[in-house]
Amino acid sequence: MNNALIPAGLLVNLLIWNRDADIARLAAGGAIIAAAVIVNEVRIRKQGSNQKD
């Protein structure tokens, strides 16, 4: 849960206090993180299926 502190802080700043933020940069960073998670999941599943053979 410690890793959720920064995204939670960004959400609080954006939603509650209406601080200015570069939404495009935040979206690009989020997309990169999501892509990394998806690539990792695909690799883990592929390794698991190769070990069963």
Side-chain angles (χ1 to χ4, degrees), residues 24-38:
R25 285 181 64 186
L26 286 174
I32 290 170
I33 291 170
V37 170
I38 291 168

Side-chain angles (χ1 to χ4, degrees), residues 2-39:
N2 193 32
N3 292 337
L5 289 177
I6 292 176
L10 286 171
L11 285 174
V12 167
N13 277 331
L14 290 173
L15 298 175
I16 295 176
W17 291 306
N18 253 350
R19 296 280 182 180
D20 292 334
D22 189 0
I23 301 297
R25 285 181 64 186
L26 286 174
I32 290 170
I33 291 170
V37 170
I38 291 168
V39 167

